[in-house]
């Protein structure tokens, strides 16, 4: 059977800044999807990286007395070590990317020039797509965006509210004004290509409002990819940056047929602030180069901190390194995706995070885990008993109705894997996690009601069946939480004495079935999975 392909990307991050919660958020979300698809046996290509050109980086380097590439090299190391840290894995977010692209790499620069030339040779409605002219407008350097007088708010950038400056320079232009109908037709024929729906509506009205040609080059600074055959100009940083999704894919995957399959099921995760670049400019650039649009763009919301916008000047930026150090990567990953529906804005607060970690992870999951293993140690000397079919099917045994039904489904409930797959397909991470939590509730309720510690007057086969059902639930739980909390899932897997690495699994649909735990296995004392956080009064 042909494998399915899945290509997921994060934005490539500017290297003038250290990683913050926004970078971590998108990257964790992409990692969850990549891990889930790998478990399903799909061919996955997960790309992240850094955006290293442009005036903003040139300026930041100048202020720090470095060359732009020195600055980029220093900051890129910070990003990489937050994603993965082979010497100290516990300090990183454990991001399983397949490729990390830097826009300063020759493999990227050369291809971007090729794309520029390709587009340059094309025309639309009888006019060349790229033409040379003179640009005069406002420019916001931190956002690397041109703005019209109308777009300014109190004379400042409407996005970051910083000073803008007037730019007049000779420039290459992209004939975006001719692409409106092509873009609208594309949105129409691929209803889910921009999600959530509200972002699709926003994008459509922007395009319907009329598009202006886009300046595609700059000549007042030099930190960028030179325009082919006119080296005084550097290519506009967004043209350069957006093509990373193509340059890295073609460089890494090589086989053009495979690349097409990946592209055919591609998903760009982006923050809402950079939606227009991805949903308007990018498909237009691709169309101009005779390439199809990405399959889906999902724009997530923004985090505030205790109700306030995060900014360096306010000093309230959430530092992901500090969060990982204090709470561990997995609880932090879990919190970000469980707390707020992906797509909506959310407010970050330490008390909210501590409350959630204690309630969902320490109490609900951690307790179920340790209490179940302790019961097997105490009642069966650590050996997981065989279930008894008759006991399982007893109408009062609860096993079938509660736990198995969740996994296997019935007329009233979707099988868990179908539910999770459907939720993750829509990037509904918090919904997937709520469903997962409801299984924990059921399992805890099952222990409380079945009281496997009460032996008097009971058939030992009933207790065997209860204990087996609980251990089997833990196996299924570790599979369910793996994409979100890979390290904790592996720790559970090992504690259940299951073979191999959970990350190597590629046949989830075969093993995500009730009853496959190998009875007769001996268990060791449980690890403390999620220690309770002492909450300061
Ligand atoms: N370099 C461009 C992207 C080019 S992609 C071809 C860029 N880089 S960035 O470093 O500024 O990254 C910004 C990403 O972080 C965006 O997706 C943005 O939405 C996200 N966030 C920045 N602050 C954020 C929050 N406070 N909350 C959530 N995400 C936010 O843009």
């Amino acid at each position: 059977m042909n494998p399915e392909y899945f290509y997921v990307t994060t934005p490539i991050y500017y290297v003038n800044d250290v990683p913050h919660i926004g970078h971590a958020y998108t990257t964790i979300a992409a990692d969850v999807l990549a891990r889930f698809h790998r478990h399903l046996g799909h061919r996955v290509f997960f790309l992240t990286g850094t955006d290293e050109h442009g005036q903003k980086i040139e300026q930041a380097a100048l202020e720090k007395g470095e060359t732009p590439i020195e600055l980029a090299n220093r900051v890129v190391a910070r990003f990489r070590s937050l994603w993965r840290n082979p010497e100290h894995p516990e300090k990183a977010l454990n991001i399983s990317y397949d490729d990390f692209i830097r826009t300063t790499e020759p493999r990227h620069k050369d291809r971007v020039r090729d794309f520029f030339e390709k587009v340059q040779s094309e025309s639309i409605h009888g006019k060349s797509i790229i033409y040379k002219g003179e640009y005069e407008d406002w420019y916001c350097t931190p956002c690397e965006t041109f703005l019209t007088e109308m777009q300014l708010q109190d004379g400042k950038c409407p996005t970051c509210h910083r000073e803008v400056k007037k730019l007049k320079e000779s420039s290459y232009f992209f004939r975006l004004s001719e692409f409106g109908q092509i873009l609208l037709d594309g949105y129409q024929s691929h209803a889910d290509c921009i999600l959530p729906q509200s972002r699709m509506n926003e994008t459509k009205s922007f395009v319907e409002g009329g598009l202006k040609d886009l300046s595609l080059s700059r000549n007042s600074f030099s930190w960028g990819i030179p325009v082919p055959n006119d080296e005084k100009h550097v290519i506009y940083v967004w043209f350069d940056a957006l093509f990373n999704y193509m340059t890295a894919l073609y460089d890494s995957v090589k086989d053009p047929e495979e690349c097409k399959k990946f592209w055919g099921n591609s998903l760009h995760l982006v923050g809402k602030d950079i939606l227009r670049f991805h949903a308007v400019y990018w498909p237009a650039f691709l169309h101009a180069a005779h390439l199809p649009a990405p399959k889906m763009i999902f724009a997530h919301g923004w985090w505030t901190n205790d109700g306030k916008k995060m900014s360096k000047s306010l000093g309230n930026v959430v530092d992901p390194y500090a969060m990982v150090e204090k709470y561990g990567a997995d609880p932090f990953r879990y919190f970000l995706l469980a707390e707020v529906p992906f797509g909506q804005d959310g407010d970050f607060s330490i008390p909210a995070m501590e409350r959630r970690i204690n309630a969902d992870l320490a109490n609900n999951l951690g307790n179920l885990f340790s209490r179940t293993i302790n019961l097997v140690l105490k009642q069966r000397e650590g050996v997981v008993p065989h279930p008894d079919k008759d006991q399982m099917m007893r109408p009062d045994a609860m096993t079938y109705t509660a736990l198995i039904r969740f996994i296997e489904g019935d007329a009233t409930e979707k099988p868990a894997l179908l539910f999770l797959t459907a939720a993750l397909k829509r990037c509904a991470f918090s919904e997937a996690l709520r469903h997962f939590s409801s299984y924990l509730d059921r399992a805890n309720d099952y222990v409380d009601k079945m009281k496997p510690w009460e032996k008097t007057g009971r058939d030992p086969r009933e207790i065997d069946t209860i204990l087996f059902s609980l251990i089997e639930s833990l196996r299924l739980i570790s599979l369910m939480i793996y994409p979100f909390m890979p390290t904790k899932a592996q720790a559970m897997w090992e504690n259940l004495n299951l073979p191999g690495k959970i990350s190597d699994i590629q046949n989830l649909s075969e093993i995500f079935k009730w009853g496959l735990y190998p009875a007769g296995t001996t268990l060791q004392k449980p690890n403390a999975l999620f220690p309770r956080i002492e909450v300061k009064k």
Side-chain angles (χ1 to χ4, degrees), residues 11-14 20 22-23 25-26 51 238 241-242 244-245 270-274 278 300-303 310:
I12 48 171
Y13 303 114
Y14 288 129
H20 56 65
H23 303 129
Y25 188 45
T26 331
D51 189 354
W238 274 99
L242 286 160
N244 91 88
Y245 302 131
V270 301
K272 61 179 185 180
D273 55 318
I274 56 173
H278 284 81
H300 63 69
W302 267 48
W303 286 92
M310 281 182 235

Side-chain angles (χ1 to χ4, degrees), residues 1 13 18 34 36 65 68 70 92 129 151 155 172-173 185 251 296 336 356 358 365 367 372 390 428 479 481 494 506:
M1 215 176 71
Y13 303 114
V18 291
F36 183 68
E70 280 167 352
I129 295 185
Q151 287 171 309
Y172 286 89
F173 283 85
D185 291 347
D251 181 68
M296 197 197 279
L336 290 182
R356 194 174 263 284
N358 278 345
L365 174 54
N367 257 350
T372 300
D390 297 338
L479 290 169
I481 61 152
E494 284 168 18
Q506 292 180 9

Side-chain angles (χ1 to χ4, degrees), residues 298-310:
F298 194 107
H300 63 69
W302 267 48
W303 286 92
T304 48
N305 189 353
D306 276 327
K308 291 195 199 76
K309 189 171 177 340
M310 281 182 235

Side-chain angles (χ1 to χ4, degrees), residues 170-271:
S170 127
S171 171
Y172 286 89
F173 283 85
F174 181 85
R175 213 176 284 277
L176 189 64
S177 55
E178 297 287 333
F179 280 80
Q181 199 51 49
I182 294 171
L183 290 169
L184 292 170
D185 291 347
Y187 306 146
Q188 189 67 28
S189 52
H190 301 95
D192 282 342
C193 64
I194 301 168
L195 287 175
Q197 186 60 42
S198 56
R199 301 288 170 206
M200 170 67 112
N201 302 343
E202 182 186 313
T203 307
K204 274 190 190 158
S205 9
F206 177 78
V207 175
E208 280 160 359
L211 296 171
K212 274 180 54 180
D213 289 351
L214 186 69
S215 165
L216 214 52
S217 70
R218 305 284 314 276
N219 69 1
S220 55
F221 66 92
S222 57
W223 182 237
I225 303 177
V227 167
N229 306 315
D230 195 354
E231 314 261 314
K232 288 191 306 298
H233 291 260
V234 290
I235 296 176
Y236 175 44
V237 67
W238 274 99
F239 185 93
D240 162 355
L242 286 160
F243 270 100
N244 91 88
Y245 302 131
M246 277 284 166
T247 61
L249 177 69
Y250 277 80
D251 181 68
S252 252
V253 176
K254 305 256 178 335
D255 175 7
E257 284 312 306
E258 285 223 298
C259 289
K260 276 191 200 144
K261 288 181 184 159
F262 276 121
W263 192 250
N265 195 19
S266 49
L267 165 64
H268 296 322
L269 296 181
V270 301

